[in-house]
Amino acid sequence: MRITVLAGGVGGSRFVRGVREECARRDPDASVIVIVNTGDDLWLAGVRLMPDFDSLLYSLAGVNDTERGWGRAGETERVAAELREWGVGWPWFTLGDLDLGTHLARTAWLREGATPSEVAERLQRRWPLGVRLIPATDTEVDTCVEVPDPETPHSTRELHFQEWWTRYRATLPAIAFRQRNIDRARPAPGVVEAITDADLVLFAPSNPVVSIGTILAVPGIRDAIATTSAPVIGVSPIIGGKVVRGMADACLPVIGVDTSADAVGLHYGSRRSGGLLDGWLVDETDAAAVGPLEEAGLLAASVPLWMRDLETSAALAGAAIDLGDVVRSRPA
Ligand code: GDP
Ligand code: CA
């Protein structure tokens, strides 16, 4: 069984840990490839950050800070304090010392001419992750957010997504999200093959706009998903009309999608009518959405979607794999 997962950082990490665990139980020969969002990546203090990639890397390696929910366990911030003294970087964006080690290694390899996906390959050699992480694209497609300019009435300005998200906690009303260079971006080597050669493609319950949305915006990826012979199953990041963790509800209205499990499923759409999904998992509290989703051509099921620990993550991954089997056994 070859499983390919599209994923962002925090929701993505929890889900991928479940997929890895469930695969180990069901089929030790299974291989898992994760196509990672690169829209949150940025240059800061002279180094390249890849926040979603690093969240997956640290979490799958078991070196992540489970209390804070991001970064490395046992982190210190001596270098960040020095950078603040020098006025380098963003004072509201802490770069931990261990984390900076990763950023320095990455930047050194980039400066030597390696591509981001080659760097990603080297970074994950350090720990046996049990899955392969591939950045969606080697092109820098950093997401920008257009917001009202507080200084000039009736005009707008652009912030890097990380500034909007971390400094302003997504409270400045977003007018639009734009991925730089996206029209010229190409899927990183192996990405299209991972989708077309898969036995199952999964959308993690990641942010539909700035995580999954950015991956899908890389020209070539959407087509690969639309045409793969593998079932494509998604998991809702919305439970009972609310985002589970984080601030993704600040993103959905910008693309005109309601904060509900069925609206997000319908936004991805059914492959039977030009969309991307065969199946969509919603939470038990959203069971009423199953009927309308099926009428729209999506095979839907309601299962517990809260990933509280490895067990609940693995059970959710199992439900997604099972729904893929149902799709496969359906008459075309
Ligand atoms: P980010 O890159 O760190 O923002 O993380 P992702 O894009 O991968 O995931 C963010 C999304 O994960 C949010 O929209 C949350 O609603 C969703 N999420 C987080 N935890 C859970 C969970 O336990 N269950 C489900 N279904 N979704 C979750
Ligand atoms: Ca992210």
Side-chain angles (χ1 to χ4, degrees):
M1 177 91 145
R2 291 160 299 180
I3 299 182
T4 295
V5 189
L6 273 54
V10 173
S13 301
R14 285 175 185 269
F15 185 67
V16 171
R17 280 172 58 113
V19 172
R20 178 177 68 178
E21 178 68 18
E22 190 64 14
C23 283
R25 293 176 189 175
R26 292 189 184 204
D27 172 9
D29 294 330
S31 60
V32 179
I33 295 179
V34 184
I35 299 174
V36 183
N37 172 42
T38 58
D40 302 4
D41 299 1
L42 74 160
W43 286 98
L44 187 66
V47 292
R48 185 71 174 157
L49 276 54
M50 298 183 72
D52 286 3
F53 179 88
D54 290 346
S55 290
L56 281 152
L57 178 73
Y58 298 156
S59 165
L60 290 162
V63 299
N64 57 315
D65 186 327
T66 49
E67 303 257 300
R68 271 191 315 186
W70 53 274
R72 292 281 296 270
E75 187 61 287
T76 49
E77 294 174 3
R78 294 195 68 195
V79 179
E82 280 299 290
L83 288 174
R84 225 165 267 141
E85 290 296 323
W86 292 117
V88 168
W90 286 334
W92 35 266
F93 194 92
T94 301
L95 298 166
D97 297 334
L98 298 174
D99 204 21
L100 267 166
T102 309
H103 307 326
L104 286 173
R106 171 166 36 237
T107 307
W109 291 329
L110 288 172
R111 293 247 157 89
E112 286 165 11
T115 61
S117 54
E118 287 164 354
V119 168
E121 219 270 308
R122 284 205 214 176
L123 287 171
Q124 59 196 297
R125 265 186 230 154
R126 177 164 170 193
W127 295 287
L129 301 186
V131 310
R132 187 169 155 226
L133 307 177
I134 313 181
T137 177
D138 281 336
T139 313
E140 291 184 6
V141 295
D142 309 18
T143 301
C144 292
V145 190
E146 187 183 346
V147 296
D149 189 338
E151 271 133 52
T152 325
H154 311 299
S155 66
T156 63
R157 67 190 174 115
E158 279 201 344
L159 303 176
H160 190 284
F161 172 75
Q162 288 296 347
E163 183 170 5
W164 181 71
W165 192 253
T166 312
R167 181 179 190 181
Y168 296 105
R169 313 295 303 163
T171 53
L172 287 181
I175 298 161
F177 296 102
R178 261 174 232 113
Q179 284 86 19
R180 284 184 190 144
N181 301 318
I182 197 77
D183 296 340
R184 286 185 282 126
R186 293 285 162 269
V191 166
V192 168
E193 295 78 357
I195 295 166
T196 52
D197 298 348
D199 300 307
L200 177 64
V201 175
L202 301 175
F203 287 18
S206 290
N207 189 312
V209 185
V210 294
S211 293
I212 304 290
T214 305
I215 299 173
L216 295 172
V218 176
I221 294 188
R222 179 177 277 274
D223 281 352
I225 290 168
T227 56
T228 181
S229 58
V232 182
I233 307 294
V235 180
S236 173
I238 308 293
I239 298 179
K242 292 199 178 72
V243 290
V244 182
R245 297 177 176 88
M247 307 166 286
D249 48 345
C251 303
L252 284 166
V254 180
I255 60 162
V257 175
D258 281 349
T259 304
S260 72
D262 47 319
V264 174
L266 296 174
H267 161 66
Y268 291 134
S270 161
R271 288 216 291 169
R272 293 188 163 186
S273 47
L276 297 166
L277 296 174
D278 297 301
W280 185 238
L281 287 177
V282 300
D283 188 66
E284 288 169 322
T285 56
D286 294 312
V290 169
L293 284 164
E294 300 222 313
E295 273 163 35
L298 277 174
L299 189 66
S302 60
V303 298
L305 287 200
W306 268 92
M307 299 180 287
R308 289 193 172 81
D309 49 27
L310 189 56
E311 265 324 301
T312 46
S313 294
L316 178 55
I321 295 170
D322 290 343
L323 198 61
D325 290 342
V326 177
V327 169
R328 231 176 265 113
S329 64
R330 260 193 329 190

